[in-house]
Amino acid sequence: MPNNSNLSTQAIDVYIKIAAISLLIYWCYSILQPFFLMVVWGAIIATALYPIATWANSKFGISKSKASSALSVIGVLLLLVPLIALSTGIYTGGSALVTGVQDGTIVIPTPNISIKDWPIIGDKVYGFALQASSNLESMLANYSDEVKSTITKMASFLGSLGGSFIQFIISTVIAGAFMVNADKCEQAFVLIASRLTGGKQGKELTTISKTTVRGVVQGVIGVAVIQSIMAGLGIAIAGIPGVALWMFLILIVAIIQLPPILALLPAIIYAFTVDTTTTAVLFLVWCILVSASDAVLKPMLLGRGSDTPVLVILLGALGGMVMSGIIGLFVGAVVLSLTYQLLTVWLINEAEEKEKEKEKS
């Protein structure tokens, strides 16, 4: 009986401890859940940018904490500029559009008759564009439901885009805090990884994690951002409207490891329809160069990158975007790549240990 009583008491004690710890974990998760994705993205940014702080420390003698803070401030300023430009552009552009429609001062050029040659949609697009060029107010009245639906979707998209910029700013501030305390964060990661692996692979997994994160950020996201900017410059010079939207589409296509030329095809068709042949051909050549630039950029930016399969990056980016919007596009690709690498290393190490045990026996 005493033994049974002691066992019952111990069981109850363990149950209470597990319940208390579970409650605390759930409580902490509920509190941090709104910021969880931003914290993860902040950790990714910190891991990718910390080598710059280390380089500034060794090259110019600037302390790592000051260099990290400077990088964070620069990142926030770089994000604030497009956010302010987006907000200002939406307000001024919207006001000018409404005023122009009311005053009848908006002039839409007559569409090129070659649009009719487009397969399937040519006649409808030409008819729509012709009506808009001859009587914009009548066209808006005829397609009022479609116009309202389009405006609502655009407003939702722009609101989501603005919210994503704010999330990126918060993540950049969090990244600065991580970089300032980089040594402590790395020690904590090593301790956690060592605990999970029985004290055998903590440092190895930490090194692999840093390499994978930097590889994906530099070799996938970095290349995508550069290609997006290059394409945006070409689109702006060619005079094609909606530069920001094209850049965003190219960014998504490049991150999921598809050729950016796929997103640029409608812009190329538009250029050949509206612009002169010389301008359109030059724009086509520029688009081909942008799409092929990853063959040069990836070896430059992916010096120590991971060998994560394209399918893993694709699923991570698309799944992350579906789950968490624009910021999930970036986080999903990195997190799934990191999980894949860590799982691969763990399986290989387990197999090697079993082989060694067999050899000993």
Side-chain angles (χ1 to χ4, degrees):
M1 287 295 292
N3 290 334
N4 290 336
S5 178
N6 289 335
L7 287 174
S8 300
T9 303
Q10 290 175 1
I12 294 172
D13 187 50
V14 170
Y15 175 78
I16 292 172
K17 289 179 180 178
I18 293 174
I21 293 172
S22 301
L23 179 61
L24 287 174
I25 292 173
Y26 174 76
W27 203 353
C28 291
Y29 173 79
S30 300
I31 294 171
L32 296 175
Q33 194 270 337
F35 308 98
F36 186 71
L37 195 66
M38 289 180 281
V39 171
V40 173
W41 181 232
I44 292 170
I45 295 173
T47 304
L49 294 183
Y50 190 66
I52 299 177
T54 304
W55 173 81
N57 174 255
S58 60
K59 187 74 174 179
F60 304 107
I62 304 173
S63 67
K64 292 181 182 179
S65 59
K66 290 182 179 179
S68 300
S69 301
L71 284 172
S72 180
V73 171
I74 292 170
V76 169
L77 292 176
L78 289 176
L79 288 167
L80 278 175
V81 170
L83 179 61
I84 294 172
L86 176 67
S87 303
T88 305
I90 291 172
Y91 176 76
T92 57
S95 300
L97 181 62
V98 172
T99 303
V101 171
Q102 291 175 345
D103 298 343
T105 56
I106 293 180
V107 178
I108 296 177
T110 303
N112 195 316
I113 197 170
S114 62
I115 293 177
K116 284 188 173 183
D117 299 331
W118 292 4
I120 303 175
I121 62 171
D123 290 334
K124 292 183 179 179
V125 172
Y126 179 78
F128 179 83
L130 184 63
Q131 184 180 2
S133 63
S134 59
N135 192 336
L136 180 61
E137 189 173 353
S138 173
M139 186 274 293
L140 292 175
N142 291 337
Y143 295 94
S144 59
D145 293 337
E146 290 82 355
V147 170
K148 290 178 181 177
S149 176
T150 302
I151 292 175
T152 301
K153 291 179 180 178
M154 287 183 64
S156 176
F157 169 75
L158 292 173
S160 174
L161 189 61
S164 297
F165 269 110
I166 294 174
Q167 287 182 321
F168 277 118
I169 290 172
I170 296 173
S171 296
T172 304
V173 174
I174 293 172
F178 279 137
M179 287 190 290
V180 170
N181 300 280
D183 294 334
K184 293 180 180 178
C185 291
E186 184 172 354
Q187 289 174 5
F189 193 92
V190 171
L191 289 173
I192 294 172
S194 298
R195 181 69 176 174
L196 294 174
T197 59
K200 297 176 181 179
Q201 304 168 16
K203 290 185 178 180
E204 180 186 0
L205 293 180
T206 301
T207 302
I208 292 171
S209 299
K210 291 191 293 184
T211 303
T212 302
V213 169
R214 288 168 186 165
V216 175
V217 171
Q218 295 173 10
V220 176
I221 297 176
V223 171
V225 170
I226 294 173
Q227 288 181 319
S228 176
I229 293 172
M230 291 171 61
L233 289 174
I235 290 169
I237 294 172
I240 298 173
V243 178
L245 179 59
W246 289 113
M247 290 178 67
F248 177 69
L249 291 175
I250 294 159
L251 183 67
I252 294 176
V253 170
I255 286 178
I256 62 178
Q257 302 296 281
L258 294 176
I261 194 78
L262 295 177
L264 287 166
L265 280 176
I268 294 170
I269 294 172
Y270 178 88
F272 274 97
T273 302
V274 176
D275 291 333
T276 62
T277 304
T278 303
T279 302
V281 170
L282 290 174
F283 179 65
L284 173 61
V285 172
W286 179 252
C287 290
I288 293 173
L289 291 174
V290 169
S291 189
S293 62
D294 59 349
V296 178
L297 293 172
K298 281 187 178 178
M300 293 171 58
L301 298 177
L302 200 58
R304 295 184 303 161
S306 65
D307 54 349
T308 307
V310 172
L311 181 61
V312 174
I313 297 173
L314 169 64
L315 294 176
L318 292 178
M321 186 169 64
V322 170
M323 181 183 72
S324 306
I326 297 173
I327 194 171
L329 174 74
F330 302 93
V331 176
V334 178
V335 170
L336 200 61
S337 299
L338 176 59
T339 304
Y340 170 84
Q341 290 293 337
L342 293 178
L343 181 61
T344 302
V345 171
W346 176 69
L347 291 174
I348 291 173
N349 289 339
E350 286 291 321
E352 288 177 352
E353 287 183 5
K354 289 182 179 179
E355 286 293 329
K356 290 178 181 179
E357 289 177 0
K358 287 181 181 180
E359 290 177 359
K360 289 180 180 179
S361 60

